[in-house]
Amino acid sequence: MNSVEQNPTVAPHLVVESLGKVFHGGDEPLEVLQGVNLTMRRGDRLAITGPSGSGKSTLLYIVGTLDTPSDGRVLVDDENPFDRDEAGLARFRNDEVGFVFQDHHLLPQCTVLENVLVPLLAGTGVGNDVRQRAQHLLERVGLAERLGHRPAQISGGERQRVAVCRALINQPSLLLADEPTGNLDQRTAEAVGTLLLELAAEEESVLICVTHSLELAGRFPMHRELRNGLLAEVGAPS
Ligand code: ADP
Ligand code: MG
C-alpha cells in the first residue's frame, strides 16, 4: 500500500507513462526501459532497487530531463517538460529538479554555504531570503557550525548532507537521488537516508531514491524494483 492508493483524490504530480529507452551505438540496440509506469503525488517517497545495469540511473535521469525518452512520456503537473525548448527545459531543471548523486560534486574552493547557493547562480541571484533558507537547511541537517568550512575540512557524511541541502535550495518538486549513500559507512548512510526521507516530507517533494541498500529501501513508504526494463512490486514474479 502506498499513498497513491491511500490518497487517490489528490492529483498526481509526476506521471511516467509507458516509458521506453533504447541506447544505440553498440552491435545491437540496448532496450533498457521497456514501458515503465509510475504515478507519484507530492510527498510520496519511492525507493528503487534492482541489479546493476538494469536502468535505474537512466530512469532517474529521464525523469530529471537530463536524458530523453525513446518512447512514452513524463508529465509533471500535467505538463510534458520535453515539449519545451532548450531554455524552457533548463528552467524546468533549475526550478523543479534537485539531484543528489553518489559523489557529492561539491566545489572544493567554495565554502559549505556557498556550495548550497551554487544553483541560485543560474537564476536571479542570491538575496537575503535564499541565504537564510540555505542557512536554515544547513542547520536542519546539523551543519550550523560548518557554514564557512570547505569540503576538504568536513567528513564524507557531512559533504553528502551539504549536497542534499544544495539539491533542496530551489524548493524542487522532484528530489532525485542516485545511490546517495553508496560511498558512506552504514551509520552515516542511515543518517543521510533519514534526512532525505524527512526533508522530502517536510518540503512536500516527490522523492525518488535509487539505492543498493535493501535496509534503506525498506524504510521508504514505496519500494519498487527495476527488472527487465519494468518497475515491479518488490517480490513480484518476473
Ligand atoms: P543502473 O543505474 O541500474 O546500474 P544504468 O541506467 O546506468 O543502470 O544503465 C543501464 C544500461 O544502459 C547499462 O547496460 C549501461 O551500460 C547502458 N547505458 C547507460 N547509459 C548509456 C549510454 N549513454 N549509451 C549507451 N549505453 C548506456
Ligand atoms: Mg546507476
Side-chain angles (χ1 to χ4, degrees), residues 23 30 32 51-58:
F23 286 116
L30 182 64
V32 176
S52 178
S54 58
K56 304 182 296 297
S57 295
T58 302

Side-chain angles (χ1 to χ4, degrees), residues 72-87:
R73 57 182 193 162
V74 175
L75 296 173
V76 177
D77 262 346
D78 278 334
E79 185 204 345
N80 183 344
F82 294 103
D83 288 341
R84 295 182 174 207
D85 62 13
E86 264 309 310

Side-chain angles (χ1 to χ4, degrees), residues 29 33 45 83 86 89 153 192 198 202 224 238:
L33 304 176
R45 294 159 297 166
D83 288 341
E86 264 309 310
L89 211 49
Q153 299 170 317
V192 169
E198 289 179 0
E202 286 167 27
R224 302 275 189 281
S238 47

Side-chain angles (χ1 to χ4, degrees), residues 120-188:
L120 276 315
L121 300 177
T124 50
V126 179
N128 268 341
D129 45 340
V130 277
R131 199 171 281 274
Q132 268 175 14
R133 173 165 165 80
Q135 289 193 13
H136 167 77
L137 281 168
L138 285 162
E139 280 163 24
R140 175 65 185 76
V141 304
L143 293 176
E145 311 299 320
R146 301 283 188 280
L147 303 186
H149 284 55
R150 311 223 180 255
Q153 299 170 317
I154 57 177
S155 70
E158 288 173 336
R159 284 195 281 269
Q160 202 56 324
R161 283 187 265 159
V162 177
V164 170
C165 293
R166 181 188 50 192
L168 285 168
I169 189 67
N170 277 339
Q171 300 182 279
S173 64
L174 301 172
L175 181 57
L176 307 175
D178 195 359
E179 308 204 26
T181 65
N183 286 342
L184 305 176
D185 64 71
Q186 196 183 341
R187 209 166 58 94
T188 312

Side-chain angles (χ1 to χ4, degrees), residues 197-212:
L197 277 165
E198 289 179 0
L199 287 166
E202 286 167 27
E203 304 269 325
E204 295 188 323
S205 305
V206 162
L207 169 62
I208 305 179
C209 179
V210 166
T211 180
H212 270 118

